[in-house]
């Protein structure tokens, strides 16, 4: 194999490209996690991450993958046999459901076709029928990373309110946090699940639970077994700036810098940057003549786009070709979408050039492999960027 030259483009919808300043912070010497410098760092990142969730409530940070934070949300608030209402938005919703089942919860999984976000009206009718309030929690994936479809969480909140249902609301924001607008407090979400390796621009290894007062109260009566994930131990230690066990010290050093980058850019600008890259990508994909997998435009994701391969063509063969030819990694189809779609990540740390580079590599492979696709999609993305300019940084003006 010949040497791969130039920069690798990690255009998968997580993990995402980590800025050099974040990598440099992670490469600093590990500090004593029971010492004064750590306390300062912990209090800073615990406060800073709450701003990203838009909450005044505590956020706990686990040294784990996002899957751990899924489990933590459930074991801290629920008891064996409790009923959970979940929406089948795609592969990640299905994985969360599987965890709930393995923990001994009874899951009512509202079926979906994996091509749009959760349908709040359907959740509402399930809740309205549940007059005995057997459903203890409603769990929804905000941005379904397997399909590129977003669920309207404000609308799901209204479904609970309109049904006068007291269930907890749990939301997975692993691939939307710091990429797509999200409001833990305003939408009265009880547990928000997050992860480090997507919009937060960190490597994998940190996961989050933002916890409402109602969720905290529920945790006092919840009887599912829990030890490592126990909020009680974590919140007690966090109050003084420490952790009940060894935290991922160096990732927290990176998180501090990632939060500074997000604050410097400003969340509204971060969201606008993601919206803009997503629209440019969709215009390109449409021009090629490939179908955007999400078929509900109101639910289009700003952090990734899944494109459907024409019948008879392998998405995985295309991705392998793009990686070999151009050093661009794209997301594969997950679960029942295996080999049928490829996913273009446009989240985290990127700019116009990285998006255009990735799209150009895809277009080149489509044409050279004889996949039926119309040339010129990248020009559509270029035109969109040219027409919808980004606000320039003061220093560059
Ligand atoms: C990536 C992702 C997960 C899984 O996170 P891991 O860190 O792989 O455990 C869960 N939900 C969504 C929506 C994701 O995008």
């Amino acid at each position: 194999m010949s040497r791969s030259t130039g920069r690798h483009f990690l255009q998968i919808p997580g993990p995402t490209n980590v800025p050099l300043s974040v990598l440099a912070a992670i490469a600093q010497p590990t500090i004593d996690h029971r010492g004064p410098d750590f306390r300062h760092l912990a209090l800073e990142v615990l406060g800073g991450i709450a701003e990203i969730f838009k909450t005044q409530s505590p956020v706990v940070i686990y040294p784990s993958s996002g899957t751990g934070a899924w489990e933590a949300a459930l074991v801290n608030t629920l008891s064996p046999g409790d009923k959970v209402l979940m929406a089948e938005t795609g592969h990640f919703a299905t994985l969360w459901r599987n965890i709930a089942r393995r923990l001994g919860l009874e899951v009512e999984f509202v079926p979906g076709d994996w091509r749009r976000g959760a349908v709040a009206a359907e959740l509402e009718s399930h809740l309205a029928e549940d007059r005995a309030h057997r459903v203890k929690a409603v769990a929804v994936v905000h941005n379904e990373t397997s399909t590129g479809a977003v669920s309207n969480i404000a609308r799901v909140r209204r479904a609970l309110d309109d049904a006068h249902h007291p269930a907890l609301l749990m939301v997975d924001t692993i691939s939307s946090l710091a990429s797509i607008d999200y409001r833990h407090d305003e939408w009265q979400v009880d547990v928000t699940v997050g992860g480090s390796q997507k919009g937060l621009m960190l490597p994998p290894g940190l996961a989050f639970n933002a916890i409402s007062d109602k969720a905290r109260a529920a945790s006092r009566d919840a009887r599912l077994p829990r030890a490592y994930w126990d909020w009680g131990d974590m919140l007690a230690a966090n109050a003084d700036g420490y952790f009940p066990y060894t935290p991922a010290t160096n990732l927290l050093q990176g998180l501090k810098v990632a939060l500074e980058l997000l604050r410097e850019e400003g969340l509204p600008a971060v969201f606008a940057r993601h919206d803009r890259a997503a629209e440019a990508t969709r215009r390109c994909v449409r021009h090629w003549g490939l179908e955007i997998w999400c078929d509900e435009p109101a639910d289009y994701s700003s952090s990734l786009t899944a494109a459907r391969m024409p019948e008879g063509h392998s998405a995985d063969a295309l991705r392998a070709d793009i990686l070999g030819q151009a050093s661009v990694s794209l997301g594969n189809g997950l679960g029942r979408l295996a080999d049928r779609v490829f996913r273009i990540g446009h989240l985290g740390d990127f700019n116009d050039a990285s998006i255009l580079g990735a799209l150009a590599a895809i277009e080149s492979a489509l044409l050279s492999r004889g996949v039926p696709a119309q040339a010129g999609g990248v020009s559509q993305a270029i035109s969109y960027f040219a027409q919808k300019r980004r606000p320039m940084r003061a220093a560059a003006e």
Side-chain angles (χ1 to χ4, degrees):
M1 228 168 101
S2 66
R3 182 175 88 83
S4 142
T5 56
R7 192 173 159 285
H8 174 69
F9 279 50
L10 186 66
Q11 296 307 133
I12 62 176
T16 63
N17 295 289
V18 181
L20 288 177
S21 58
V22 174
L23 289 173
I26 292 169
Q28 293 306 300
T30 302
I31 60 174
D32 170 12
H33 65 285
R34 306 205 192 279
D37 287 350
F38 182 83
R39 177 170 189 271
H40 194 74
L41 169 68
L43 292 174
E44 182 166 337
V45 296
L46 288 166
I49 194 67
E51 287 174 29
I52 306 296
F53 283 92
K54 296 193 178 152
T55 184
Q56 308 284 325
S57 291
V59 178
V60 301
I61 308 177
Y62 295 108
S64 89
S65 83
T67 300
W70 266 344
E71 179 162 337
L74 300 171
V75 296
N76 276 286
T77 53
L78 300 169
S79 298
D82 276 356
K83 198 161 167 181
V84 184
L85 183 66
M86 299 177 114
E88 184 192 5
T89 49
H91 184 67
F92 287 99
T94 305
L95 293 177
W96 199 7
R97 176 206 65 179
N98 294 348
I99 288 176
R101 284 195 178 148
R102 282 203 222 170
L103 291 170
L105 297 165
E106 185 191 327
V107 181
E108 190 168 341
F109 203 41
V110 180
D113 66 1
W114 290 36
R115 300 201 67 166
R116 56 180 304 176
V119 180
E122 287 174 10
L123 293 172
E124 188 172 335
S125 64
H126 279 82
L127 292 168
E129 280 164 24
D130 178 37
R131 289 193 192 81
H133 294 165
R134 287 198 55 234
V135 171
K136 300 302 178 201
V138 175
V140 176
V141 173
H142 183 216
N143 183 70
E144 178 52 77
T145 323
S146 62
T147 66
V150 173
S151 293
N152 183 334
I153 303 303
R155 181 66 190 84
V156 173
R157 173 74 257 168
R158 223 178 322 125
L160 280 142
D161 292 347
D162 290 352
H164 303 287
H165 202 292
L168 297 167
L169 175 56
M170 301 185 184
V171 180
D172 169 348
T173 63
I174 295 176
S175 62
S176 54
L177 194 72
S179 301
I180 299 170
D181 191 18
Y182 184 77
R183 309 168 186 198
H184 177 89
D185 283 1
E186 188 181 321
W187 297 338
Q188 292 170 266
V189 179
D190 295 297
V191 189
T192 300
V193 172
S196 56
Q197 75 270 31
K198 301 187 185 180
L200 286 175
M201 309 179 288
L202 287 160
L206 296 179
F208 309 90
N209 275 178
I211 305 164
S212 75
D213 289 345
K214 185 171 157 186
R216 183 79 177 103
S219 76
R220 298 197 176 95
D221 300 322
R223 284 177 289 103
L224 279 176
R226 59 185 198 254
Y228 184 78
W229 305 115
D230 198 318
W231 289 342
D233 299 342
M234 192 62 116
L235 291 170
N238 284 175
D240 299 323
Y242 296 103
F243 280 64
Y245 39 70
T246 314
T249 312
N250 289 56
L251 289 176
L252 296 175
Q253 292 169 182
L255 176 59
K256 174 177 183 288
V257 174
L259 292 170
E260 285 165 6
L261 295 178
L262 290 168
R263 198 171 301 131
E264 185 189 339
E265 187 177 355
L267 282 181
V270 171
F271 300 147
R273 175 165 58 83
H274 285 73
D275 292 343
R276 184 169 167 277
E279 178 59 24
T281 301
R282 288 189 296 265
R283 287 181 184 213
C284 175
V285 170
R286 263 192 222 109
H287 182 90
W288 289 333
L290 303 192
E291 205 180 331
I292 292 165
W293 181 257
C294 173
D295 66 5
E296 173 52 64
D299 297 349
Y300 281 155
S301 168
S302 285
S303 56
L304 78 137
T305 299
R308 182 184 200 163
M309 277 305 275
E311 283 312 317
H313 293 269
S314 160
D316 289 344
L318 179 81
R319 288 189 315 106
D321 194 326
I322 293 167
L323 178 62
Q325 288 290 318
S327 277
V328 176
S329 291
L330 299 174
N332 62 332
L334 295 169
R336 69 166 80 142
L337 299 183
D339 209 26
R340 296 175 60 201
V341 303
F342 60 88
R343 296 173 300 140
I344 306 163
H346 32 74
L347 75 165
D349 192 43
F350 63 81
N351 56 29
D352 292 4
S354 46
I355 299 299
L356 292 173
L359 295 175
I362 299 169
E363 182 163 327
S364 171
L366 287 169
L367 300 178
S368 69
R369 294 180 63 79
V371 177
Q374 182 181 208
V378 178
S379 298
Q380 297 296 316
I382 293 170
S383 301
Y384 181 71
F385 281 153
Q387 153 202 335
K388 195 172 169 59
R389 302 260 291 162
R390 265 158 58 69
M392 297 258 246
R393 287 183 306 149
E397 270 164 3

